[in-house]
Amino acid sequence: MSVLDKRSADQRHPRPEQGPGAAPEAEAADSTVGAAKSAPENSRSRRRGLPLALNAVSVALGIAIWWALAAAGFKLPTPPEVVDRASTLISDGTLADDALASLTRVLIGFALGTAVAVPVGFLMGWYGILRGLIEPWIQFFRTIPPLAIIPLAVVAMGIDETPKIFVIFLAAFLACVISTFQGVVNVDRTLINAARVLGAGDATIFARVVVPASTPFILVGMRVGLGSAWATLVAAELIAAQEGLGYRMQNAQLYYDLPTIFVGLISIGILGLLMDRVLLLAERRLTRWQERR
């Protein structure tokens, strides 16, 4: 290429200047990119911090209302009285033993109920014959409160840990099996038909389409089942229990020991809330593909 050609090419396509003014422009561009990247991060951090702040405000407001009701003459212990009783129960190890006993029963019953409910719900949703055979019994037992099964459980299983765990298992099972079943039957048929067109068999469709699409329903059912398990715990521990939060609350009722009852209620609420947060975290991790508001 001749010199004239080079000059004409430079005139048609001028090169960017590399002089002193270029550096500020580059720095400004870099700062703009950095600001664009940091903006979503700041927005996410604000979105995470806002619910925590609202939770703290809600807890403080609830304690203030409780204290005001106790001061107004309602038959409620004040927060300092409950804290003092909790300190006593913690120091002598009673609260730890009761919480461990109750938590063990809930975990065993909830784990067994979920482990049975998930495959049963899948079978009901996937096979119409099994649905017709199993669903009437599921709906029948759903109308019977698990607490009504306690007398039968005592007669059939004795007064050891078995009937307590059984009624908790039943409460968790009935809540989770229906949710799993609904998750399977609500899978988009378009996805299943598309997988069949691509040559996928039933096993592949079930593992790659049905299970992922049903996961949100299963986790919601597990959260509902966990709440049912804790709700059944107090009545379950009436069955000749010697320790447990429900047993301690029932024993305190005989002596009108309201602070101890409140300690038991708050302990159950805290343990249930922590377990629910664990399930919620698992739900968010397993369903990242799902759109959220």
Side-chain angles (χ1 to χ4, degrees):
M1 179 183 295
S2 64
V3 177
L4 294 176
D5 293 335
K6 289 182 179 180
R7 288 179 181 175
S8 61
D10 291 339
Q11 291 176 357
R12 289 194 301 266
H13 305 285
R15 297 179 183 177
E17 297 181 1
Q18 300 296 328
E25 294 179 0
E27 292 177 359
D30 293 340
S31 62
T32 303
V33 174
K37 291 182 179 179
S38 61
E41 295 177 358
N42 295 334
S43 178
R44 284 195 295 268
S45 63
R46 286 195 297 268
R47 287 199 300 267
R48 293 171 185 168
L50 181 60
L52 295 177
L54 292 176
N55 291 340
V57 171
S58 177
V59 172
L61 183 61
I63 294 176
I65 294 174
W66 166 21
W67 205 329
L69 291 175
F74 287 86
K75 292 183 179 181
L76 298 174
T78 61
E81 293 175 345
V82 175
V83 171
D84 182 67
R85 182 56 53 85
S87 301
T88 302
L89 295 175
I90 291 173
S91 61
D92 61 15
T94 301
L95 184 59
D97 293 340
D98 289 339
L100 180 61
S102 297
L103 187 61
T104 301
R105 291 167 183 144
V106 169
L107 285 176
I108 294 175
F110 172 71
L112 292 176
T114 303
V116 176
V118 171
V120 171
F122 275 131
L123 292 174
M124 288 174 56
W126 192 250
Y127 298 105
I129 296 177
L130 293 178
R131 182 189 311 175
L133 293 174
I134 300 175
E135 187 176 11
W137 292 103
I138 298 295
Q139 299 298 337
F140 171 78
F141 281 104
R142 280 187 65 208
T143 61
I144 302 176
L147 305 183
I149 307 295
I150 290 178
L152 176 62
V154 172
V155 173
M157 303 177 185
I159 57 174
D160 57 357
E161 291 295 309
T162 303
K164 305 179 187 63
I165 294 176
F166 174 75
V167 293
I168 296 173
F169 154 83
L170 189 62
F173 169 80
L174 293 175
C176 190
V177 68
I178 294 299
S179 183
T180 304
F181 164 70
Q182 290 297 329
V184 175
V185 298
N186 286 334
V187 174
D188 192 352
R189 297 297 303 180
T190 304
L191 299 177
I192 297 177
N193 294 333
R196 293 191 187 278
V197 170
L198 294 174
D202 285 346
T204 303
I205 294 174
F206 188 80
R208 297 294 185 88
V209 178
V210 176
V211 173
S214 304
T215 300
F217 290 85
I218 296 172
L219 292 171
V220 170
M222 291 176 65
R223 294 180 64 188
V224 176
L226 179 63
S228 300
W230 279 107
T232 311
L233 172 70
V234 175
E237 289 182 340
L238 293 176
I239 309 174
Q242 298 300 319
E243 58 181 357
L245 295 172
Y247 161 77
R248 193 66 53 192
M249 292 168 60
Q250 293 294 331
N251 192 42
Q253 178 188 2
L254 300 176
Y255 302 98
Y256 297 94
D257 187 0
L258 290 179
T260 300
I261 294 176
F262 266 67
V263 171
L265 288 173
I266 294 172
S267 300
I268 291 175
I270 291 175
L271 291 174
L273 179 62
L274 292 176
M275 293 177 68
D276 182 77
R277 295 301 97 176
V278 172
L279 288 177
L280 184 60
L281 179 61
E283 178 184 356
R284 289 176 178 174
R285 290 185 177 274
L286 293 174
T287 60
R288 290 178 177 176
W289 51 267
Q290 192 177 23
E291 294 183 1
R292 300 180 184 276
R293 290 190 296 176

